Amino acid sequence: MRDVARLAGVSIKTVSNILNGYQYVRPETRERVDDAIRELGYHVNVSARNLSRGRTGAIALVLPALRGVYFAELADAVMREASRRGLTVFIEQTNAERDRELRVLDGSYRSRFDGVLYSPLALGQNDLPLFDVDFPLVLLGERVFDGGVDHVTMSNVEGARAATEHVLDRGATTVVPLGVKDDPSPSSGTLRFQGFRDALRSRGLDVDPRAIIGVPDYFHATGATTIARILDSGVEPDAVVAFTDTLALGALAALQDRGLRVPEDVLLIGFDNIDEANYSRPPLSTIDPGRDVIAHRAVALLEERIQLQFDGVPREERPAPRRIVIDFELIQRQSTLR
C-alpha cells in the first residue's frame, strides 16, 4: 500500500480509503491510484487486514461426520454462503466423540476462528452449562435445546408427520418407521419418530412393535439391514417412512432384493432431500428440510454475533439468543406414486 501511495503521489490513507470503497475521492485521484495498483500488481492481503482488525476472517463448521451425505451437502451450502460474505470456512468432524465435542467449547477455537457453527451429537441437555462460552457460537441440529446461544434447526416432527400422512393418504395401512433411536433424548430420530406416530394415531392406527428396531447410524447399509430385520420379523409393510434418505435408499435396495416393488408393493419416502434421492430408481419421495435456508440463516446469525463481539458490545446489551426453525417441503417422486 505504501508503494502504491508513492507511485500515485497520494497518502497511504487515500489508498486505504479507495480500497475500502470510500466514495468522496476525486475521480482523478482514484484513477491515479487504480493505475498504480495495476502497474504494481498490488492485491489486498485479506489475512493481514483481518488480523490487524482483531479478526481472522475464518469460521469453523464442526459436524459429526462428513460421511453422512446430509452433512456433506450442508457443509457445501455453508461454504457457499460464507464465501458470499467474504468468510473462509474450516471444517472439522468429531465422529460424535464426546471428548472432541467438548474441545469445541473449551476456548481453543477462539484464537483461530471468529466464530463456530456447531452440530453436536455426543453432548446433550445435561451439558447445557458448557455452552455458555465467550465466543460467537451458533448451534445446528437437535441434540441441545435452550443452550443460551443462537440455534437454527428444522421442522423434524412436522416433516415426519407430513411424510407419514402422505403415504396414508395414498392408501397405506401398515406403515413402518426406519430410523428409530434407542436413546430417548432429543435427536432428529426421536423427533421424527414422534411425528410419525402422531400421524398414525390421528388416523386411529399404531405401528407394529416388531417394526420398531433401533439403529446405530443413518448410513445406507443400516437402512438395508434394518428393513431386512423388519421383514424377517413377519411384518408385511405397504409403506416405509425412513427418517433419512440414506436409510431409505438402503431400504430400497433390500426391498428390491426381496422381490418387492417400489411403489407397487411398498411405498417409500425419506427425509433430507439429498441429491442422490433424485437419481435412484425409482426416484425417492422425501422431505426437504430447507438445507440452503438453514445455511443462510446460520451464517447470517454467526456473522452478526461476530460483529457484535468485534465492536465490543457488552453481552448484556446484545440480542437474546434466537431459535429459528426452518420450514419443510414435501417432495413427491415416483417412490410413493403408484
Side-chain angles (χ1 to χ4, degrees):
M1 196 181 296
R2 190 175 293 110
D3 294 338
V4 171
R6 186 182 302 113
L7 182 59
V10 299
S11 67
I12 294 176
K13 178 64 175 175
T14 298
V15 175
S16 177
N17 286 341
I18 291 172
L19 290 172
N20 286 291
Y22 185 68
Q23 298 179 2
Y24 304 106
V25 178
R26 295 166 60 188
E28 56 269 27
T29 302
R30 186 182 301 275
E31 185 176 353
R32 289 207 314 275
V33 170
D34 288 344
D35 288 343
I37 287 173
R38 281 191 293 271
E39 182 175 340
L40 294 172
Y42 172 73
H43 298 281
V44 177
N45 187 328
V46 177
S47 296
R49 171 185 286 184
N50 286 329
L51 287 172
S52 70
R53 295 173 175 176
R55 293 178 59 170
T56 66
I59 61 174
L61 173 62
V62 184
L63 300 171
L66 289 176
R67 179 186 169 197
V69 181
Y70 171 78
F71 287 120
E73 293 187 5
L74 176 63
D76 173 73
V78 167
M79 292 177 74
R80 285 187 280 109
E81 180 63 26
S83 177
R84 194 178 67 82
R85 297 170 180 271
L87 295 169
T88 300
V89 181
F90 288 80
I91 300 175
E92 180 172 345
Q93 61 179 13
T94 62
N95 294 320
E97 296 172 7
R98 181 174 176 83
D99 288 345
R100 296 180 68 177
E101 291 192 354
L102 286 172
R103 283 202 294 271
V104 177
L105 304 175
D106 67 9
S108 59
Y109 280 52
R110 190 188 305 109
S111 61
R112 293 185 288 153
F113 307 109
D114 294 333
V116 180
L117 296 175
Y118 186 30
S119 179
L121 276 186
L123 303 180
Q125 291 297 103
N126 294 334
D127 300 302
L128 286 184
L130 302 176
F131 290 86
D132 183 19
V133 296
D134 62 352
F135 57 88
L137 177 71
V138 173
L139 285 177
L140 304 170
E142 296 77 31
R143 283 288 294 177
V144 177
F145 287 92
D146 303 319
V149 296
D150 292 324
H151 187 181
V152 181
T153 186
M154 62 184 71
S155 303
N156 284 289
V157 176
E158 297 81 2
R161 178 167 183 149
T164 309
E165 289 174 342
H166 172 62
V167 296
L168 291 170
D169 290 342
R170 301 202 65 80
T173 56
T174 306
V175 188
V176 301
L178 189 59
V180 178
K181 285 288 190 178
D182 293 327
D183 181 359
S185 61
S187 69
S188 60
T190 55
L191 294 172
R192 292 172 192 178
F193 185 51
Q194 177 186 333
F196 169 86
R197 211 156 202 176
D198 288 348
L200 288 182
R201 288 173 172 171
S202 70
R203 307 287 181 99
L205 302 171
D206 207 343
V207 61
D208 189 320
R210 294 175 297 175
I212 303 177
I213 298 177
V215 299
D217 54 52
Y218 286 157
F219 299 134
H220 296 81
T222 302
T225 57
T226 305
I227 197 65
R229 290 178 60 192
I230 291 173
L231 295 174
D232 290 342
S233 74
V235 178
E236 298 181 0
D238 54 14
V240 177
V241 176
F243 297 165
T244 71
D245 288 346
T246 48
L247 289 174
L249 293 170
L252 175 62
L255 289 168
Q256 292 171 340
D257 287 345
R258 296 289 186 104
L260 294 170
R261 299 168 300 163
V262 175
E264 293 84 357
D265 300 320
V266 182
L267 302 176
L268 177 64
I269 187 168
F271 199 117
D272 287 337
N273 194 27
I274 62 175
D275 289 345
E276 187 181 357
N278 202 31
Y279 297 98
S280 63
R281 290 295 175 265
L284 181 66
S285 294
T286 184
I287 297 294
D288 183 345
R291 180 174 51 250
D292 288 344
V293 181
I294 290 172
H296 170 75
R297 297 299 298 272
V299 174
L301 279 175
L302 186 62
E303 187 178 46
E304 178 186 337
R305 293 293 180 181
I306 290 170
Q307 190 61 49
L308 289 169
Q309 179 124 333
F310 173 68
D311 291 340
V313 177
R315 294 182 68 177
E316 61 271 14
E317 297 179 14
R318 300 175 191 177
R322 286 152 290 187
R323 181 169 178 264
I324 298 173
V325 181
I326 305 302
D327 204 1
F328 68 91
E329 180 183 0
L330 173 64
I331 308 294
Q332 298 184 41
R333 299 192 181 107
Q334 279 68 39
S335 69
T336 57
L337 301 178
R338 290 191 175 121

